[in-house]
Amino acid sequence: MRVCLQMYSEGNPAVKQDNATALRYFTMAAEKGNPIGQAGLGMMYLHGKGVEKDYAKAFKYFSQATEQGWVDGQLQLGIMYYNGLGVRRDYKMAVKYFNLASQSGHVLAIFNLAQMHATGTGVLRSCNTAVELFKNVAERGRWSSELMRAFHLYSKGATDAALVLYALLAELGYEVAQSNAAYIFEQKQTSLFNESEMFTRALVNWNRAAAQGYHVARVKVGDYYYYGHGTRIDFETAASHYRLASDQLHNAQAMFNLGYMHEQGLGMKRDIHLAKRYYDLASETSPDASVPVALALGKLALYYSVELVKRGVSELQLHYFAKPLFFLSSPNWDIYAMAILCILLAVVYQLRQAAQRRRRRRDSN
């Protein structure tokens, strides 16, 4: 319907622009409560197309369209408040309606918000926010269709062709393209480069995406320094990236990783209290972290109990009582603990199976 109404309102090669016909159809649609018709009728009165300019009526129809969540009504109300057309100029109300329209992805609303943040009009001036919004507008240009083309190529298995497009868009600053290119390099899904340089190229793209505020990319950069992928192992640098993802981007995985590094003393002073704090933060931040955090806290409590036992007993008692638990203080003690748990689970499973077989034999007799 929107296209049909706009054909007469704006005109195109197939249909001549006709204000009278557009006004008639917009009025019919508005009378039936259609938000597209209401917003279109508001535009006719706002600009005086086929009717005399009437800001009051324009405001009325835009308000009706906005009540139904129509994005064009939200945008036009913001413009009216910004310019003081038929209403008292109110920058805060303009920001409100531009925000509403921008949530639906309206490019002009995003651009207007960027302008207001850049100049401090109606909001506190924020160059960082303005740049992010301008970037959002720029990424919605015609070249953004290449991003979807790259995705379709990747979906069809043409990974090399997809990587070429992602690499091009990554150079233009597309964060999604940077992340996707990094993923392809990380999974070694391309034959365009030597396998030895895959991690290095992935790290470059993860770094670019992280610089644009993508929290997953920031954690990935930390992982690369932690494991030495594409660079040397550097626990301190890994911890700094995890801390950025945790403190600024509230990433639960980064919090969990920091907890583990504090627990093991990797790249920082060993501190089980800080470890517990980060584990708790991870659980509070994401419900998905509940199970791994519960296991980590159980492991931490067991280790802490052993430490207390070691401090409280004499050397003789330590030799006969605490020393058999040596594995709990070794670097790989968690692997030993998991192995013991697996053995216990296997024993319980076999016992239950045996009990079920005996029950079935009794039932058959």
Side-chain angles (χ1 to χ4, degrees):
M1 176 182 286
R2 181 181 183 183
V3 176
C4 293
L5 293 174
Q6 284 182 336
M7 286 172 64
Y8 289 105
S9 174
E10 301 174 3
N12 61 36
V15 177
K16 186 179 178 180
Q17 195 268 346
D18 188 336
N19 287 331
T21 304
L23 179 64
R24 184 169 73 254
Y25 283 124
F26 278 136
T27 302
M28 291 170 59
E31 288 174 352
K32 294 182 178 181
N34 185 283
I36 301 174
Q38 292 165 347
L41 201 52
M43 290 292 291
M44 303 291 283
Y45 281 107
L46 180 66
H47 297 290
K49 291 185 175 182
V51 292
E52 290 187 7
K53 280 188 180 181
D54 191 328
Y55 291 141
K57 287 187 177 179
F59 186 85
K60 168 190 168 185
Y61 287 115
F62 289 142
S63 298
Q64 290 176 356
T66 297
E67 287 172 3
Q68 299 189 64
W70 186 239
V71 63
D72 285 339
Q74 297 164 348
L75 172 69
Q76 296 304 326
L77 280 182
I79 291 174
M80 292 189 76
Y81 275 114
Y82 185 87
N83 294 304
L85 301 175
V87 292
R88 183 176 60 86
R89 180 171 288 179
D90 190 333
Y91 291 131
K92 289 187 177 179
M93 289 298 289
V95 170
K96 171 187 172 182
Y97 286 110
F98 287 150
N99 265 319
L100 285 172
S102 69
Q103 289 171 13
S104 300
H106 201 297
V107 178
L108 188 54
I110 299 171
F111 178 80
N112 289 340
L113 271 180
Q115 292 276 39
M116 296 183 79
H117 280 285
T119 57
T121 306
V123 292
L124 289 174
R125 187 178 183 187
S126 174
C127 292
N128 289 335
T129 303
V131 168
E132 288 180 11
L133 291 168
F134 280 132
K135 177 178 177 293
N136 194 321
V137 174
E139 289 183 348
R140 293 170 185 268
R142 287 176 294 177
W143 49 86
S144 62
S145 60
E146 294 298 305
L147 196 63
M148 287 306 299
R149 192 157 77 90
F151 172 74
H152 289 309
L153 286 169
Y154 182 83
S155 301
K156 294 176 181 177
T159 310
D160 289 344
L163 178 60
V164 170
L165 281 176
Y166 281 139
L168 173 63
L169 294 168
E171 291 297 325
L172 293 175
Y174 276 80
E175 176 268 309
V176 174
Q178 292 164 350
S179 299
N180 290 351
Y183 178 81
I184 291 173
F185 283 124
E186 180 179 276
Q187 299 299 315
K188 300 179 180 177
Q189 295 178 341
T190 178
S191 58
L192 297 177
F193 300 92
N194 295 328
E195 189 170 324
S196 59
E197 57 183 308
M198 294 292 190
F199 281 134
T200 304
R201 291 183 178 276
L203 179 58
V204 169
N205 283 281
W206 285 130
N207 258 316
R208 290 176 174 178
Q212 298 196 59
Y214 185 36
H215 62 99
V216 174
R218 182 63 67 186
V219 174
K220 281 286 188 181
V221 174
D223 291 344
Y224 274 52
Y225 280 101
Y226 184 93
Y227 294 107
H229 292 331
T231 183
R232 60 185 178 83
I233 293 177
D234 188 337
F235 292 135
E236 291 184 3
T237 304
S240 69
H241 286 287
Y242 291 146
R243 197 169 286 112
L244 281 172
S246 169
D247 297 346
Q248 297 180 10
L249 306 172
H250 310 293
N251 183 281
Q253 181 65 61
M255 296 171 186
F256 186 91
N257 292 352
L258 283 171
Y260 183 80
M261 294 183 78
H262 275 293
E263 178 188 340
Q264 300 296 325
L266 300 172
M268 58 188 70
K269 185 179 178 181
R270 191 176 194 182
D271 191 328
I272 60 174
H273 300 290
L274 272 177
K276 182 181 184 304
R277 177 185 173 189
Y278 276 110
Y279 285 144
D280 289 337
L281 282 173
S283 181
E284 292 170 7
T285 303
S286 173
D288 295 337
S290 300
V291 174
V293 165
L295 293 173
L297 289 176
K299 178 182 72 174
L300 201 62
L302 183 60
Y303 179 82
Y304 186 62
S305 301
V306 171
E307 287 293 312
L308 291 178
V309 169
K310 285 182 178 180
R311 293 174 191 171
V313 298
S314 64
E315 291 184 4
L316 182 62
Q317 290 172 317
L318 179 62
H319 178 75
Y320 290 105
F321 174 68
K323 205 166 183 180
L325 299 177
F326 72 94
F327 66 88
L328 292 173
S329 59
S330 69
N332 298 319
W333 76 271
D334 50 346
I335 298 176
Y336 301 142
M338 290 298 293
I340 292 172
L341 285 173
C342 289
I343 293 171
L344 290 174
L345 285 173
V347 170
V348 171
Y349 178 77
Q350 291 298 328
L351 291 174
R352 287 177 61 87
Q353 289 294 314
Q356 289 178 0
R357 285 195 295 270
R358 287 196 297 271
R359 191 178 300 113
R360 283 196 293 269
R361 281 199 295 270
R362 283 199 305 269
D363 294 342
S364 63
N365 293 333

